[in-house]
Amino acid sequence: MEKFVCIKCNRKFSLNEKIWKCKCGALLDINFKSTFPVDKIKQRKLTMWRYREAIPLLDDNNIISFDEGFTPLTDVAFNGKSVLVKQDYLFPTGSYKDRGASVLISKVRELGIKEVVEDSSGNAGCAIAAYCAKAKIDCEIFVPQDTSAGKLAQIQFYRAKLNKIPGSRENTAHAVLKAAEKYYYASHSWNPFFFHGTKTFAFEVCEQLGWKSPDTVILPVGNGTLLLGAYIGFNELLEAGIIDKIPKIIAIQSVNCAPLYRAFKENLEEIPDIDKKDTLAEGIAIAKPIRGKQIIEAVKKSNGDFIAVEDWEIKKSLKDICERGFYIEPTAASTTAGICKYVEKSNPDETIVSLFTGHGLKTTEKMLKVLNE
Ligand SMILES: *Cc1c(COP(=O)(O)O)cnc(C)c1O
Ligand SMILES: [Zn+2]
């Protein structure tokens, strides 16, 4: 049966309860059996909602969508090696976060919720605000004070209430938890519906490869909204017999904030406390990712690995990618810097998939800083 299930005490709840964490306080996942009627899927519109039977929403009338998804899978050369790159910076709000927001806010509408809160270093806030605008749901977005001006403007143009929190990203997370005592928390890290949107990344990749799994996917990771979603998606395709293996997951972190890289490489039981430094990759600078253990388990089970990249490598890769006409934001260039490192040792016949996560137009002041250095 379709249920929320607590990752700690295993309690189950109906998907129609207005909850985002277990009564015991721990994280929830969703138990859901996806099916993939391939012949029907092929006839549908080229959006992420073509995998309708794989998305846990009861009524089509509740779908909040801008016809997003099914982004191009483009062949891009990295140090002479071919990598297939999903153009997820072309989403309506300029990042792949729309995948998660579309499913989560559709479910919020289905639950009859009229007001939500969310916290973000920028892109998730933009995505939640846009889908709430379309759904006519009130939302308040909590962001760190130093969030890119472009993202702040975008959130406000969607008519969301903006709450700038002084201090670190962690201060912002703390502030929203207080608000979440009163309002529904449409969180991209806590709320499992978000991951059942980001999983469509995996569905699209496999369909675009002729219903086959790639050998390797290279993904950025902070809170793991994409990585865990992709892992769920590939596993659902495997369980449904559509693909015969899941790809190896290569997870990219910034050296300046790499708690998961450390836990993985040093085989730690717990996510270590780290001394977080400023990084160009603001979007993945998460010191204490709440789903950290799940992320490490996913990478391990996929036979994958972690790579950490320095800020100078991010800068170099950002310039290189933009010079070729793809205007991505600095956080997205942490992934491309990781790709450059990975392909040094990849096999010639390996099918490698990655993505451009976010659009450069959102972060003009940071782009100018890199340009003028
Ligand atoms: C959200 C985001 C990521 C991935 O971050 P997670 O914290 O792992 O979800 C990567 N790049 C961009 C541009 C993002 O907005
Ligand atoms: Zn529990």
Side-chain angles (χ1 to χ4, degrees):
M1 264 310 283
E2 307 173 11
K3 291 275 184 200
F4 285 119
V5 51
C6 173
I7 69 162
K8 197 162 168 197
C9 74
N10 227 17
R11 248 171 97 175
K12 296 186 174 61
F13 304 91
S14 157
L15 290 187
N16 292 317
E17 285 200 44
K18 295 175 189 175
I19 54 174
W20 51 270
K21 64 175 177 182
C22 182
K23 303 271 190 292
C24 82
L27 291 157
L28 295 172
D29 281 340
I30 292 174
N31 266 359
F32 177 71
K33 187 145 177 48
S34 287
T35 58
F36 301 89
V38 168
D39 290 334
K40 271 195 213 158
I41 290 171
K42 281 181 185 159
Q43 288 164 27
R44 294 180 184 151
K45 265 206 271 197
L46 289 168
T47 83
M48 59 174 255
W49 284 92
R50 66 205 260 105
Y51 312 101
R52 180 65 186 91
E53 292 81 0
I55 297 175
L57 187 79
L58 299 175
D59 186 347
D60 280 6
N61 291 317
N62 293 321
I63 294 175
I64 307 295
S65 169
F66 296 101
D67 287 343
E68 61 291 292
F70 220 84
T71 50
L73 184 65
T74 304
D75 200 332
V76 181
F78 288 82
N79 299 338
K81 291 223 176 133
S82 159
V83 174
L84 298 169
V85 182
K86 286 284 275 177
Q87 306 291 304
D88 273 20
Y89 74 127
L90 302 178
F91 266 91
T93 78
S95 88
Y96 78 83
K97 296 285 193 316
D98 292 358
R99 294 184 185 278
S102 183
V103 171
L104 173 54
I105 299 306
S106 297
K107 188 64 197 181
V108 165
R109 169 147 109 178
E110 187 153 272
L111 293 172
I113 292 164
K114 295 278 186 279
E115 193 159 22
V116 302
V117 292
E118 156 74 322
D119 62 319
S120 154
S121 60
N123 286 338
C126 292
I128 294 292
Y131 286 81
C132 280
K134 180 139 203 214
K136 297 198 162 60
I137 290 167
D138 286 337
C139 80
E140 179 167 359
I141 308 290
F142 292 68
V143 294
Q145 196 143 44
D146 62 356
T147 300
S148 293
K151 296 176 186 178
L152 297 181
Q154 199 180 352
I155 290 168
Q156 292 173 95
F157 265 98
Y158 295 135
R159 301 275 295 160
K161 210 167 133 198
L162 184 66
N163 203 334
K164 283 193 248 176
I165 306 296
S168 67
R169 174 71 182 85
E170 287 65 38
N171 290 116
T172 303
H174 188 79
V176 77
L177 281 171
K178 198 99 199 78
E181 288 167 12
K182 202 163 159 212
Y183 302 108
Y184 188 73
Y185 190 16
S187 168
H188 59 293
S189 48
W190 277 96
N191 203 305
F193 280 104
F194 199 89
F195 298 83
H196 285 258
T198 54
K199 73 180 180 183
T200 57
F201 170 83
F203 303 161
E204 291 175 19
V205 166
C206 292
E207 183 173 0
Q208 286 167 317
L209 293 175
W211 299 102
K212 281 201 195 70
S213 171
D215 298 311
T216 307
V217 285
I218 303 178
L219 306 171
V221 63
N223 271 316
T225 60
L226 178 66
L227 189 145
L228 288 172
Y231 183 70
I232 293 170
F234 286 119
N235 275 297
E236 288 184 354
L237 289 165
L238 183 70
E239 274 159 37
I242 304 281
I243 57 175
D244 56 11
K245 58 158 194 200
I246 68 160
K248 188 164 78 172
I249 298 175
I250 306 299
I252 310 297
Q253 293 220 284
S254 158
V255 168
N256 289 358
C257 185
L260 300 172
Y261 171 87
R262 259 196 63 197
F264 183 85
K265 293 289 183 186
E266 296 171 24
N267 232 329
L268 307 176
E269 287 287 324
E270 299 292 327
I271 309 305
D273 287 321
I274 56 145
D275 189 14
K276 172 174 159 180
K277 300 193 188 71
D278 272 349
T279 170
L280 263 178
E282 58 168 11
I284 54 167
I286 309 292
K288 272 271 173 212
I290 54 167
R291 292 184 184 266
K293 285 188 184 177
Q294 286 186 318
I295 294 165
I296 287 172
E297 191 183 289
V299 174
K300 276 192 182 150
K301 283 201 173 147
S302 79
N303 276 319
D305 200 359
F306 272 80
I307 292 176
V309 294
E310 307 265 6
D311 265 31
W312 68 265
E313 294 173 292
I314 297 173
K315 242 178 253 178
K316 182 164 173 269
S317 184
L318 178 66
K319 286 183 173 162
D320 171 57
I321 299 296
C322 291
E323 274 168 22
R324 294 196 263 161
F326 302 102
Y327 195 61
I328 60 172
E329 68 169 287
T331 298
S334 58
T335 309
T336 56
I339 298 173
C340 290
K341 280 193 153 161
Y342 181 77
V343 297
E344 282 170 21
K345 291 184 195 141
S346 65
N347 297 322
D349 57 354
E350 190 175 336
T351 305
I352 306 170
V353 166
S354 188
L355 80 165
F356 295 147
T357 51
H359 207 296
L361 289 173
K362 301 178 128 207
T363 57
T364 299
E365 70 288 22
K366 289 188 175 91
M367 297 299 281
L368 283 171
K369 220 174 133 216
V370 172
L371 192 65
N372 295 327
E373 257 166 17

